[in-house]
């Protein structure tokens, strides 16, 4: 284990580092207009929190190869760096929400608030409440340090090393998302009520437990449909469930659920409506990460989406977010790029900085013009086939690359909202836009020749 993480005070030190370099004016200026607009009411930060959580999850750091048969992982230093970056994102979310609340930045007070919020997000409710600044006379340094240590211990136990081992469920990304969503609810509640409320923390915890259990079962169902089960896999996956921080009863129930997952239809019916889009996003992300392009896993996900009765725009948004979170930019650039052109390599390095802007423009364009996009892409069968080839990790020939670029530009002409291609350097965005197009717009990407067309009609 890296030396930094052996110090029980590592989270407190990291929090001090982030607070020391935090400039509220610069941070406020960096917040996108749509986030500032969503946070226009200091008493209702939930809309802004949802946007901030979504944006933060697009910057996951890939470590190892999830589900790789050889169990490969990145070196320990890389794993530690990835883990620390995930924690920095948790802290950054809390800092941004405090900015939107409009409270003056007082470093000691903000330190206590964030330490308490992190402790609450991992279930250490009593420790969290003792550390909040609204305690009579303010929280003691000892209480704040205790909250930071409790959060550090839980975060390390559940999320280090990041990533998923061989034969495991592709669970890490979703577990991080569940935690960050819970943290956002804790912070929003704190700023709304002026304190941490035990009853509210219990509700947030129960909701996160439900999300985690349903996520694990959904992923187990998907992998079962893909034929990726068996005794070795079950042993690994049972250990994964132990890392979710569930209580004993929930751990036992979740282990049973992943051993014998329900049908996609039954699972969709049992999932609260607000969680269904999240599960679809994670299922699509798992498909991308494990390249589950065969009929059976694709049909399993399609069955879940139909039974969940999600709006077409919700489906498109879930699929776009899955593509945005999937760390395969370099593969797409290689498949669709200009071979040895250095421009593609430079663009890869800068891609994360551009992702939010492009994702949000493409997401809006797709969801607002869904019918037109469906018609255009389905009438251009070759585009779907070539994108499917690139998505499977196969480099395209120069002729195929020219066809993809030309057809995507034609698509942008048919849907003016995608005129981003016409901007200077816009051609470099084609691979990113291609990977953001939702599954529903690329039916030939995820169905083998001769597969039933009923799946397409259902969408």
């Amino acid at each position: 284990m890296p030396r930094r993480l052996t110090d029980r005070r590592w989270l407190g030190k990291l929090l001090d580092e982030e607070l020391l370099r935090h400039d509220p004016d610069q941070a406020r200026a960096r917040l996108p207009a749509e986030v500032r607009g969503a946070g226009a009411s200091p008493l209702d930060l939930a809309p802004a929190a949802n946007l901030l959580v979504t944006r933060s999850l697009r910057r996951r750091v890939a470590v190892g190869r999830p589900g790789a048969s050889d169990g490969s992982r990145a070196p320990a230093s890389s794993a530690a760096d990835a883990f620390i970056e995930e924690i920095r994102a948790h802290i950054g979310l809390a800092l941004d929400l405090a900015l939107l609340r409009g409270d003056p930045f007082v470093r000691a007070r903000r330190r206590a608030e964030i330490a308490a919020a992190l402790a609450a997000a991992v279930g250490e409710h009593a420790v969290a409440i003792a550390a909040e600044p609204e305690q009579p006379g303010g929280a003691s340094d000892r209480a704040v340090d205790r909250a930071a240590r409790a959060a550090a211990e839980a975060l390390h136990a559940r999320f280090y090393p990041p990533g998923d081992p061989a034969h495991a469920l592709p669970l890490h990304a979703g577990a991080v998302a569940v935690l960050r969503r819970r943290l956002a609810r804790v912070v929003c509640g704190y700023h709304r009520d002026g304190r941490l409320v035990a009853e509210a923390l219990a509700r947030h915890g129960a909701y996160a437990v439900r999300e985690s259990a349903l996520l694990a079962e959904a992923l187990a169902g998907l992998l079962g449909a893909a034929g990726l089960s068996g005794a070795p896999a079950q042993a690994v996956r049972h250990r994964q469930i132990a890392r979710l921080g569930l209580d004993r009863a929930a751990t036992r129930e979740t282990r049973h659920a992943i051993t014998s997952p329900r049908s996609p239809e039954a699972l969709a019916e049992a999932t609260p409506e607000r969680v269904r889009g999240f599960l679809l996003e994670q299922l699509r992300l798992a498909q991308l990460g494990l390249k589950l392009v065969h009929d059976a896993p694709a049909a399993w996900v399609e069955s879940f989406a139909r039974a969940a009765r999600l709006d077409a725009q919700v489906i498109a948004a879930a699929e776009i977010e899955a593509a945005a979170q999937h760390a395969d930019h370099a593969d797409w650039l290689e498949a669709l790029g200009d071979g040895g052109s250095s421009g593609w390599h430079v663009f890869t390095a800068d891609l994360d900085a551009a992702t939010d802007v492009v994702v949000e423009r493409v997401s809006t364009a797709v969801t607002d013009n869904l019918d037109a996009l469906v018609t255009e892409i389905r009438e251009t069968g070759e585009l779907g086939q070539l994108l499917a080839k690139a998505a499977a990790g196969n480099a395209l020939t120069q002729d195929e690359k020219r066809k993809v670029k030309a057809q995507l530009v034609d698509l942008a002409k048919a849907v003016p909202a995608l005129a981003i291609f016409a901007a200077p350097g816009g051609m470099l965005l084609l691979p990113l836009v291609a990977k953001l197009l939702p599954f529903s717009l690329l039916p030939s990407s995820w169905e083998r020749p001769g597969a039933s067309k009923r799946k397409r009609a259902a969408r």
Side-chain angles (χ1 to χ4, degrees):
M1 183 189 304
R3 181 178 300 175
R4 179 175 190 176
L5 296 179
T6 61
D7 185 342
R8 295 181 62 205
R9 299 169 296 171
W10 68 262
L11 180 57
K13 292 181 177 179
L14 180 63
L15 184 53
D16 289 336
E17 291 174 14
E18 295 300 295
L19 290 170
L20 187 62
R21 68 182 188 178
H22 178 65
D23 183 318
D25 293 332
Q26 291 184 5
R28 187 176 291 106
R30 285 196 299 269
L31 286 176
E34 61 270 23
V35 172
R36 292 197 299 271
S41 169
L43 296 179
D44 184 11
L45 296 177
N50 291 337
L51 288 172
L52 287 169
V53 169
T54 296
R55 291 168 69 90
S56 73
L57 293 173
R58 295 173 192 156
R59 287 179 167 78
R60 291 188 306 104
V61 181
V63 178
R65 302 202 303 276
S69 60
D70 60 0
S72 63
R73 284 188 177 275
S77 59
S78 297
D81 291 343
F83 173 71
I84 291 297
E85 286 307 307
E86 288 178 351
I87 308 305
R88 288 189 200 277
H90 300 331
I91 295 171
L93 173 64
L95 285 170
D96 286 343
L97 289 172
L99 277 178
L100 293 171
R101 176 70 173 87
D103 290 342
F105 178 65
V106 179
R107 187 171 288 116
R109 180 182 179 87
R110 193 71 77 239
R111 186 180 194 273
E113 290 174 351
I114 297 177
L118 288 170
V122 297
E124 296 288 347
H125 298 168
V127 172
I129 291 173
E132 67 172 26
E134 297 305 320
Q135 292 295 319
S140 68
D141 291 342
R142 182 177 181 182
V144 174
D145 289 341
R146 186 182 301 119
R149 287 197 301 273
E153 182 177 346
L155 290 167
H156 186 276
R158 299 179 197 177
F159 297 99
Y160 185 83
D164 302 298
H167 308 298
L169 298 172
L171 192 54
H172 182 78
V176 170
V178 168
L179 176 69
R180 199 160 295 163
R181 287 150 62 96
R182 182 178 181 180
L183 175 63
R185 290 192 289 271
V186 168
V187 174
C188 288
Y190 170 78
H191 287 301
R192 182 186 62 248
D193 301 328
R195 61 191 182 93
L196 294 177
V197 179
E199 294 81 3
L201 296 184
R203 287 197 306 271
H204 301 326
Y207 190 85
V209 166
R210 186 85 180 275
E211 282 188 308
S212 298
L214 290 168
L215 172 64
E217 184 178 1
L219 293 174
L222 173 64
L223 267 57
L228 300 176
S229 293
Q234 290 299 333
V236 172
R237 294 169 192 177
H238 280 200
R239 290 196 294 273
Q240 279 186 290
I241 302 307
R243 296 185 69 191
L244 291 178
L246 310 179
D247 61 33
R248 184 174 300 177
T251 296
R252 182 171 59 251
E253 291 172 4
T254 305
R255 283 175 170 170
H256 174 74
I258 67 170
T259 302
S260 303
R262 286 169 283 188
S263 69
E265 294 84 1
L267 183 62
E269 287 296 327
T271 300
E273 188 173 347
R274 289 190 298 169
V275 182
R276 293 174 185 178
F278 169 67
L279 286 192
L280 178 61
E281 173 190 300
Q282 292 299 315
L283 288 167
R284 291 305 199 195
L285 182 58
Q287 279 187 279
L288 289 168
L290 298 177
K291 298 189 183 299
L292 302 179
V293 299
H294 306 298
D295 289 344
W300 199 96
V301 178
E302 296 297 334
S303 296
F304 176 87
R306 283 196 298 273
R309 298 185 296 278
L310 295 172
D311 180 87
Q313 293 188 344
V314 174
I315 293 173
E319 294 175 345
I320 288 170
E321 287 302 330
Q325 292 178 42
H326 180 48
D328 70 340
H329 300 318
D331 292 342
W332 276 93
L333 290 171
E334 183 178 349
L336 297 177
D338 292 331
S341 172
S342 60
W344 295 98
H345 300 290
V346 172
F347 183 63
T348 303
D350 296 336
L351 193 54
D352 279 344
T355 293
D356 286 337
V357 175
V358 177
V359 168
E360 281 149 22
R361 289 185 64 178
V362 174
S363 179
T364 299
V366 169
T367 56
D368 288 351
N369 301 274
L370 195 60
D371 291 341
L373 281 167
V374 169
T375 300
E376 291 293 329
I377 290 183
R378 288 181 179 173
E379 288 181 355
T380 311
E382 189 177 26
L383 175 60
Q385 294 169 4
L386 292 176
L387 290 177
K389 180 178 177 181
N394 300 314
L396 304 185
T397 67
Q398 288 299 324
D399 183 54
E400 288 172 333
K401 292 174 187 176
R402 283 191 291 269
K403 288 181 179 179
V404 168
K405 292 178 185 179
Q407 291 180 30
L408 282 172
V409 170
D410 287 341
L411 181 63
K413 292 176 181 176
V415 182
L418 289 180
I420 189 171
F421 297 131
M427 293 297 287
L428 291 177
L429 298 176
L430 287 174
L432 180 56
V433 174
K435 73 187 284 289
L436 292 179
L437 291 173
F439 286 56
S440 57
L441 299 187
L442 301 174
S444 58
S445 313
W446 303 98
E447 294 180 12
R448 292 181 177 181
S452 171
K453 296 183 180 180
R454 286 179 297 169
K455 297 176 191 175
R456 306 180 188 182
R459 298 295 290 279

